[in-house]
Amino acid sequence: MADPVLSVTGLSRSFGALKATDEVTLDLRPGEIHALIGPNGAGKSTLINLISGALSPDAGSVHLGGMDVTRLGVSARARLGLGRTYQISSLFPEFSALRNVMLAVQARQGSSFRFFLPVMADASLRDPALSLLDRVGLAARAHVIAAELSHGERRQLELAMALALSPRLLLLDEPMAGMGPEGSKAMTALLAQLGHALPILLVEHDMDAVFALADRISVLVYGRIIATGSVEEIRRDPEVRRAYLGDAA
Amino acid sequence: MITRERLVEITLVLLLAAVPIAAQLLNEPFYLTLATRVAILGLAAVGLNIALGLGGLVSFGHAAFFGVGGYVAGVLAIHAFNGTPMLLGLPGTKLMPFIWIVAILVSGLVALGIGALTLRTSGVYFIMITLAFAQMIYYFAISWPAYGGEDGLSFYVRNGFPGVDTLKPLPFLLICYALLALGLILFQVLRKSRFGAALQGARQNEVRVAATGISPYRIRLVAFVIWAMITGVAGALYADLNRFVSPAMLSWHMSGELIVLIVLGGVGRRFGPVVGAGLYVLLEYWLGGITERWQLFLGLMLLGVVLFARGGLIGLLAGKPRHG
Amino acid sequence: MSSALLVEQLLNGLQLGVMLYLMAAGLTLIFGVMGLINLAHGSLYMVGAFACAAVAAWTGSFFLALIGALIAAAAAGALMEILVIRRLYGRDHLDQVLATFALILVFSEATRWLFGPFPLYLDIPAILQGTVPLPGGSRYQIYRLAIIGVGIAVAIGLYLLISRTRLGMRIRAGESDREMIAALGVDIRTLYTVVFALGAGLAGLAGAMIGPLQSVQVGMGEPVLILAFVVIVIGGIGSNRGALIGAILVGVVDTMGRALLPGVLSGLLGPSAAATTGSSLASMLIYLVMVVILVFRPRGLFPAGS
């Protein structure tokens, strides 16, 4: 089996007496979608923040492509190829969708101290940005101001911006949150398309999406991973049914 | 298609161009002085528009750069006039292009120092600390007697420009117009550049810019320095207009006036600074002619604009800005 | 420099510090509770001074005048809050800066209109005239000592108010969580007006007390306001303790710098160069202190919430 692109080993973090993350170990293999599910308050947000570098752990380690990044911050991990989207859309509201992605492409190219050439005439920004918008299905909305996009479109735009940084993996924090059934379906299709070119760690509440997309699922309850396995294994796991799926299954 | 904003801009350019002609026809040379003031204050406000309009940096200390530019002009002129060497034995000069370059360098360096420290902070801290730094320079100018201290520094002959008789109001006005035009072009070019995109991005969503790997601090520091350089040139012109510099150019009232200008005109709008400067100078001239208390009415108007008409005059005339 | 002069300058520094504290305490309270930067705080200081001069001229009693000044400044503050400031809480800092700058223009011109362009003068009340001996043989004005005493009393009073009373509890709640306090059913509009008037009253008290030591004139509040900003930057925004310690530090450093620097430098530069360099350097000294503190403690000595 190929080496994992992301591996998390024995990760722990407490807030006072609360063990928000308790010796979590999981990995993300090339080409897979690995879903992380769990009831509210299970510690998913803390785990995401530990992986992205917004929080530092009390114990344990995070490796990106075999490199120990436990001590690095958000922007350093971003430069090493950890792309992410946010639970609440985080965009440049006054820019058009196209300019949002162009700014991310610009950041990727590492060239913000250019003062004269207008960005809109700069094919090295515009072309990749347009093709990314096309890839997430937003090409027709390229010139709409981000603030005026629908909720679902903003999530698509977030995804395009994350992709603009040419990540080695994606960390998606509830990409379906707040979307109607149509939007969820479209996003699921989009992720299915991306997923096998780019490994994705997917945190999601929408079980239909998770079961449709995931190659493997890990279940987080009270900060601990209680099970990891294929969709079928997780569906059948009695402990998972008791602790989490409950009457929903 | 011509947008309403473009229409406002064209009207404004025509108005500015009409002033010298009207002054000639009506034999009112004072109009030229008013237009020169508009151009110079407008140029200073263009600098502010880069930092405030594009970068969202609310400072209360930019008079420091205006005054530093003014003192550069004054000090160089005095040394050239007296034939005495300055610091390091360098001679003074009475040539505007040299003065502008020195003003750009000195105010840029001062801004690099102040910006490096103040941009580590944000929000209210940034406002208070920029104000405090400007005040430090203000008190230094007051207490340093070599260049006039509290009384300021007069120089009797306006500095020169090769091939132009700057002592006449019209050629000097045209020089100021030209620099204002350059400033406006620079603003437009910067706004559309990669740098401008990063600067505006940092204003809209600082965390997101940082997360994509662009350092907001470095972007803002460069914007701060560019702003100071433009403001410094405007200060040098202002000194030449009055043939006088004093600590008043460094005072916090000056900082306030420049912010007021730009807000009256419209923050972040290309011609906002010019509209604001025109409005301000006209108000000062008209209201000041009617009542000594014109600042009271300015204050009330400003309150009205802030509380009820946030787009400034361009916002009222041309509607919301178009993005894209 | 003799030790007597040193003690005298130290007391002068303390007195300046106390004045700055009265300004900074209100500013930092208003920022802490409402998140507002108020440039017009210096105007309230001026209102206090003018009200004091007017009431003193009318009644002949400085103490009545002091009370009058407190009431006038607090009322002006409450009015300012209700008419203008209230609309600025949700706005960005640019709007706050502009609107409060506009208020300065309005207050300054209106005061000039009411009182004319000439400065007013106030006498030190008879009971506080005279001097007391200092160790080392020199003498010190009782009035300045009284100012220091009032300042210390206000600092203690404010501490007790914030830590012990119901109003103080609401203020602390407002500082930590604005939504929470509304949810608790506290009438937040009234609370904000009261806090603003309290800060205004403190500024007015400072202006009134300084009246007998210098002339009462338009624009007197602005230099003090800017020093108060330096105090807040040094002390940490939103912190009462930081305001007190920052104010005393600024007051003492500024006063001692002006008194001592020319003398210290004359050994190095010769007397005439030392006088000019010394006074220039002294006028910049507190800003240099601010820079040093900023480099090592970007959020001030006592950052709020720590």
Side-chain angles (χ1 to χ4, degrees):
Chain A
M1 191 184 297
D3 289 335
V5 284
L6 169 75
S7 63
V8 170
T9 318
L11 211 57
S12 295
R13 168 76 195 222
S14 305
F15 297 100
L18 175 72
K19 280 193 167 176
T21 301
D22 191 1
E23 300 217 358
V24 168
T25 295
L26 62 83
D27 61 9
L28 182 65
R29 298 173 194 146
E32 79 166 342
I33 295 182
H34 186 157
L36 184 67
I37 63 173
N40 281 326
K44 297 189 297 277
S45 297
T46 305
L47 183 54
I48 288 272
N49 284 331
L50 288 169
I51 294 174
S52 71
L55 282 175
S56 54
D58 300 330
S61 68
V62 179
H63 284 74
L64 267 181
M67 183 180 167
D68 187 348
V69 298
T70 316
R71 305 276 151 241
L72 299 182
V74 175
S75 51
R77 291 188 201 189
R79 279 193 291 272
L80 286 170
L82 184 106
R84 73 166 292 191
T85 65
Y86 298 79
Q87 204 169 35
I88 295 162
S89 288
S90 180
L91 300 164
F92 303 108
E94 295 172 19
F95 281 164
S96 65
L98 177 60
R99 290 204 63 184
N100 267 278
V101 185
M102 282 168 65
L103 188 51
V105 174
Q106 174 181 327
R108 171 69 189 166
Q109 293 179 359
S111 54
S112 288
F113 291 101
R114 292 193 197 163
F115 301 93
F116 297 109
L117 183 67
V119 283
M120 295 311 279
D122 188 343
S124 71
L125 290 179
R126 207 182 152 102
D127 294 349
L130 278 171
S131 80
L132 283 163
L133 283 174
D134 192 42
R135 204 164 147 200
V136 300
L138 265 186
R141 305 282 280 162
H143 296 285
V144 178
I145 306 299
E148 289 167 11
L149 292 173
S150 74
H151 181 82
E153 288 169 336
R154 279 186 226 173
R155 310 235 62 140
Q156 285 165 277
L157 181 53
E158 277 252 3
L159 196 58
M161 289 172 75
L163 291 171
L165 298 174
S166 314
R168 291 152 70 172
L169 70 143
L170 280 178
L171 193 58
L172 303 184
D173 196 355
E174 301 200 13
M176 320 288 173
M179 281 198 188
E182 286 305 308
S184 292
K185 216 178 271 174
M187 181 58 88
T188 306
L190 178 59
L191 292 181
Q193 224 177 59
L194 288 177
H196 301 284
L198 191 63
I200 296 176
L201 184 65
L202 174 69
V203 178
E204 187 48 64
H205 270 301
D206 182 331
M207 285 307 138
D208 291 338
V210 167
F211 288 145
L213 284 169
D215 301 302
R216 283 192 303 157
I217 298 177
S218 290
V219 184
L220 193 68
V221 177
Y222 295 122
R224 302 183 71 97
I225 300 242
I226 59 167
T228 297
S230 69
V231 173
E232 276 315 304
E233 285 164 354
I234 292 298
R235 275 189 206 270
R236 281 197 306 265
D237 190 305
E239 200 180 348
V240 173
R241 295 180 76 98
R242 192 170 56 247
Y244 178 55
L245 295 176
D247 45 4
Chain B
M1 196 193 79
I2 294 185
T3 62
R4 271 164 71 195
E5 179 158 4
R6 181 58 58 85
L7 218 57
V8 172
E9 290 173 1
I10 293 170
T11 315
L12 195 72
V13 170
L14 290 177
L15 272 176
L16 285 176
V19 171
I21 301 166
Q24 212 71 37
L25 289 177
L26 302 171
N27 198 22
E28 284 273 14
F30 184 63
Y31 288 179
L32 296 177
T33 308
L34 285 184
T36 312
R37 263 179 76 79
V38 172
I40 294 172
L41 291 177
L43 179 62
V46 167
L48 182 57
N49 208 19
I50 292 173
L52 177 65
L54 301 184
L57 297 173
V58 183
S59 125
F60 223 81
H62 36 284
F65 313 125
F66 196 65
V68 163
Y71 269 96
V72 164
V75 168
L76 287 175
I78 284 288
H79 280 285
F81 186 76
N82 296 335
T84 48
M86 300 180 304
L87 207 62
L88 309 173
L90 293 170
T93 175
K94 291 196 63 66
L95 275 180
M96 283 186 188
F98 283 118
I99 288 174
W100 297 337
I101 291 169
V102 178
I104 285 174
L105 290 177
V106 175
S107 38
L109 274 176
V110 172
L112 192 63
I114 294 181
L117 284 165
T118 55
L119 287 167
R120 287 153 43 104
T121 66
S122 62
V124 181
Y125 262 93
F126 183 70
I127 297 170
M128 293 193 296
I129 295 169
T130 49
L131 176 54
F133 271 110
Q135 206 65 9
M136 173 171 95
I137 296 174
Y138 172 76
Y139 282 126
F140 179 75
I142 282 189
S143 61
W144 190 256
Y147 296 111
E150 205 164 348
D151 299 328
L153 187 63
S154 290
F155 47 106
Y156 301 101
V157 183
R158 186 173 287 153
N159 293 307
F161 191 93
V164 179
D165 182 1
T166 56
L167 291 177
K168 290 188 180 155
L170 184 62
F172 184 58
L173 171 62
L174 294 179
I175 288 176
C176 294
Y177 272 0
L179 287 177
L180 174 62
L182 271 180
L184 288 169
I185 292 169
L186 181 67
F187 173 81
Q188 187 64 1
V189 168
L190 282 182
R191 177 161 78 166
K192 292 187 163 182
S193 71
R194 287 187 180 215
F195 172 75
L199 183 61
Q200 293 172 74
R203 167 170 56 81
Q204 294 172 44
N205 193 339
E206 176 173 359
V207 177
R208 193 67 168 97
V209 164
T212 53
I214 297 174
S215 155
Y217 174 80
R218 286 170 55 194
I219 295 284
R220 287 178 178 150
L221 185 57
V222 171
F224 195 81
V225 170
I226 293 174
W227 166 27
M229 289 172 163
I230 295 175
T231 312
V233 172
L237 290 173
Y238 197 74
D240 257 324
L241 172 66
N242 301 320
R243 283 165 258 186
F244 175 65
V245 273
S246 74
M249 276 180 77
L250 294 157
S251 77
W252 77 307
H253 271 277
M254 195 72 230
S255 295
E257 263 176 50
L258 290 175
I259 296 199
V260 168
L261 285 187
I262 199 171
V263 170
L264 285 180
V267 177
R269 311 298 281 256
R270 183 167 42 182
F271 271 63
V274 190
V275 173
L279 203 61
Y280 187 82
V281 170
L282 282 181
L283 276 176
E284 187 181 40
Y285 177 62
W286 269 334
L287 272 179
I290 298 166
T291 165
E292 265 179 79
R293 311 265 169 251
W294 77 278
Q295 294 229 327
L296 176 65
F297 298 100
L298 176 71
L300 292 173
M301 260 187 58
L302 184 58
L303 269 181
V305 169
V306 175
L307 296 180
F308 307 110
R310 298 215 291 165
L313 190 62
I314 293 195
L316 285 178
L317 293 175
K320 287 196 167 190
R322 284 155 34 94
H323 299 282
Chain C
M1 173 158 297
S2 71
S3 66
L5 204 53
L6 208 64
V7 173
E8 188 183 330
Q9 292 298 341
L10 202 62
L11 286 170
N12 280 343
L14 206 57
Q15 181 249 310
L16 175 61
V18 156
M19 302 300 298
L20 292 176
Y21 168 70
L22 291 177
M23 287 290 284
L27 274 173
T28 206
L29 189 66
I30 289 166
F31 181 81
V33 178
M34 286 96 103
L36 177 102
I37 177 166
N38 181 20
L39 295 182
H41 208 66
S43 298
L44 297 165
Y45 175 88
M46 177 186 73
V47 166
F50 272 92
C52 185
V55 178
W58 182 43
T59 63
S61 159
F62 181 78
F63 295 100
L64 279 181
L66 215 53
I67 294 168
L70 250 172
I71 294 172
L79 200 66
M80 195 190 262
E81 201 273 343
I82 291 168
L83 291 180
V84 177
I85 303 291
R86 182 170 282 183
R87 295 164 215 279
L88 298 171
Y89 294 137
R91 300 280 194 90
D92 59 23
H93 294 314
L94 177 62
D95 286 0
Q96 300 180 350
V97 160
L98 277 164
T100 54
F101 181 73
L103 284 173
I104 295 178
L105 297 180
V106 171
F107 268 87
S108 293
E109 284 305 321
T111 308
R112 207 170 276 146
W113 211 338
L114 278 172
F115 290 91
F118 303 108
L120 306 179
Y121 295 92
L122 263 168
D123 290 325
I124 295 175
I127 197 174
L128 295 176
Q129 276 173 7
T131 56
V132 290
L134 284 180
S138 72
R139 304 187 67 83
Y140 199 72
Q141 275 183 298
I142 295 175
Y143 184 70
R144 286 179 188 267
L145 287 179
I147 291 182
I148 296 174
V150 170
I152 293 170
V154 169
I156 295 170
L158 205 56
Y159 170 76
L160 291 177
L161 176 81
I162 291 175
S163 63
R164 298 285 159 81
T165 65
R166 184 175 281 270
L167 175 65
M169 192 194 77
R170 288 176 179 168
I171 288 174
R172 277 179 290 138
E175 281 174 339
S176 52
D177 191 340
R178 265 168 238 163
E179 275 92 54
M180 178 61 116
I181 184 169
L184 287 173
V186 173
D187 178 358
I188 203 142
R189 289 189 134 204
T190 314
L191 175 70
Y192 283 2
T193 309
V194 167
V195 168
F196 202 86
L198 177 66
L202 293 177
L205 178 65
M209 287 197 303
I210 208 69
L213 294 178
Q214 59 184 50
S215 57
V216 173
Q217 56 186 332
V218 171
M220 65 188 288
E222 290 153 21
V224 187
L225 174 79
I226 294 167
L227 284 183
F229 281 163
V230 174
V231 164
I232 291 174
V233 169
I234 288 176
I237 200 159
S239 156
N240 188 37
R241 187 170 48 146
L244 182 62
I245 291 171
I248 299 214
L249 185 69
V250 168
V252 170
V253 167
D254 190 52
T255 311
M256 298 302 259
R258 285 173 204 277
L260 297 180
L261 266 181
V264 171
L265 290 176
S266 74
L268 293 169
L269 303 171
S272 76
T276 60
T277 315
S279 71
S280 309
L281 209 59
S283 66
M284 296 167 67
L285 192 59
I286 52 159
Y287 301 100
L288 299 176
V289 170
M290 178 188 81
V291 168
V292 171
I293 289 178
L294 195 62
V295 168
F296 293 102
R297 301 289 295 264
R299 302 190 56 77
L301 294 175
F302 299 97
S306 71

